[in-house]
Amino acid sequence: SIFSVEDICKLIPDESADVCVLEEPEHLNWFRAEGDSWTKKFNFTVGIVHTNYKAYAGAQIGGTIAAPVISGMSTLVVRAYCNKIIKLSPVLQTFSPEKEIVCNIHGVRGDFVSEGERRAKDAKQNGTDHPIEGARAYFVGKILWAKGLDKLMNLQHFYRKTTGSYFPIDIIGDGPELEEIRRAYLGRSTANKSMISNEGGGNLSSFDFDMPKTIREFRRTPIPANFLGRHEHFEKGHGDKYKIFINPSVTEVLCTTTAEALAMGKFAIIPAHPSNVFF
């Protein structure tokens, strides 16, 4: 984490100190340099909470101890330094019931809204309504199991049980668990062949002899998933390619990528979860 080693309040002229908005007030106040508090310096202080540090702490080794410690520290400093608390979704812990509200005050970049307007205009002028039938689904985000990619795999199994086959999906993004997840989706042998083809060589790398991370790597029928690396939804060549966005994550506070997909006029498949109440 990054913490200030100097009192920020003393850098702000008193005549300019009226209303203060603290993004992630818990993080800003876990450690504070000596000086006046925010509520003493400013007439009114608003804290906007949009990260579930309690959940992150609980997912680590020793999380049963770390999670309540982080939760208690966060409650203490947020109550002390904020006159009003805005939580982006009800998935966040309670800090101060008499001070807090749940409200989505975030938006999306104009690029995504412009792409949605372009698609709508194209559909109106050219009769191109980007039909769902035959459309390819996609996921975009950091490639981690914590982003719900295990739940997406369960959805694939349910779909295959119902229809007899998996549905194709493009997975866009990068992350430290990319290779493990790619092998889990494609199966060990298919993932190795794909890697050799992508590298343009004919020799197996040490990757081929790595110990398996999960039993999923030994699947016989690969899930038709393309791992495309990092892209934006609206980049040229991607805007009209997809109609269905799938976001299986239940670890978000409020998922920006879902809002971006909806702004572009796409259908979004998301879990029934407190983090998705806004949608």
Side-chain angles (χ1 to χ4, degrees):
S1 295
I2 300 174
F3 300 103
S4 173
V5 295
E6 184 177 3
D7 180 21
I8 297 175
C9 289
K10 74 178 183 180
L11 303 177
I12 302 171
D14 290 339
E15 59 271 17
S16 300
D18 185 13
V19 177
C20 177
V21 178
L22 300 178
E23 290 273 355
E24 300 202 9
E26 71 280 51
H27 190 178
L28 288 172
N29 291 291
W30 285 331
F31 170 82
R32 288 194 73 250
E34 187 176 351
D36 291 340
S37 71
W38 303 102
T39 50
K40 184 176 179 180
K41 177 71 174 184
F42 293 88
N43 294 324
F44 198 81
T45 303
V46 179
I48 301 175
V49 186
H50 50 74
T51 302
N52 196 345
Y53 288 110
K54 180 181 178 181
Y56 285 148
Q60 306 302 314
I61 296 175
T64 53
I65 297 174
V69 170
I70 289 292
S71 175
M73 288 177 57
S74 298
T75 298
L76 183 65
V77 297
V78 171
R79 285 177 67 98
Y81 295 120
C82 296
N83 300 112
K84 193 69 177 180
I85 303 162
I86 300 175
K87 303 192 302 185
L88 294 192
S89 80
V91 76
L92 290 163
Q93 70 178 74
T94 298
F95 296 95
S96 180
E98 72 279 7
K99 293 183 178 182
E100 65 186 45
I101 61 170
V102 176
C103 181
N104 175 21
I105 60 171
H106 280 195
V108 298
R109 298 203 319 262
D111 298 321
F112 297 100
V113 177
S114 297
E115 174 62 15
E117 291 173 344
R118 182 197 67 78
R119 290 168 61 89
K121 184 178 179 181
D122 182 54
K124 184 176 181 180
Q125 292 181 347
N126 304 321
T128 306
D129 196 21
H130 309 286
I132 289 183
E133 185 176 354
R136 194 173 184 90
Y138 77 104
F139 163 87
V140 60
K142 198 164 186 178
I143 308 303
L144 297 169
W145 287 119
K147 291 296 184 181
L149 289 169
D150 55 337
K151 295 177 176 57
L152 177 57
M153 187 174 288
N154 293 337
L155 179 62
Q156 287 276 10
H157 294 324
F158 175 78
Y159 185 87
R160 187 188 184 198
K161 184 177 179 181
T162 303
T163 67
S165 62
Y166 295 121
F167 62 85
I169 186 168
D170 287 349
I171 297 178
I172 302 170
D174 199 358
E177 295 174 350
L178 171 61
E179 291 305 328
E180 176 184 337
I181 291 171
R182 191 167 70 93
R183 286 194 288 186
Y185 272 74
L186 302 180
R188 194 173 179 86
S189 59
T190 303
N192 285 344
K193 291 176 183 177
S194 174
M195 189 188 71
I196 294 171
S197 175
N198 291 337
E199 291 181 351
N203 297 321
L204 291 177
S205 68
S206 59
F207 171 94
D208 186 51
F209 304 102
D210 286 346
M211 291 294 292
K213 302 287 182 158
T214 68
I215 196 171
R216 300 184 182 103
E217 294 184 21
F218 297 103
R219 66 169 58 254
R220 294 184 177 181
T221 305
I223 294 173
N226 291 328
F227 291 83
L228 303 179
R230 192 176 298 172
H231 296 287
E232 289 278 17
H233 307 251
F234 62 84
E235 284 183 7
K236 187 176 181 180
H238 291 279
D240 293 332
K241 185 177 180 180
Y242 307 111
K243 183 64 177 177
I244 305 167
F245 172 67
I246 301 178
N247 177 24
S249 176
V250 293
T251 60
E252 311 292 340
V253 173
L254 183 75
C255 190
T256 304
T257 52
T258 299
E260 291 168 350
L262 292 172
M264 291 189 290
K266 301 181 188 296
F267 288 90
I269 299 175
I270 57 177
H273 187 261
S275 61
N276 291 321
V277 167
F278 173 76
F279 303 113

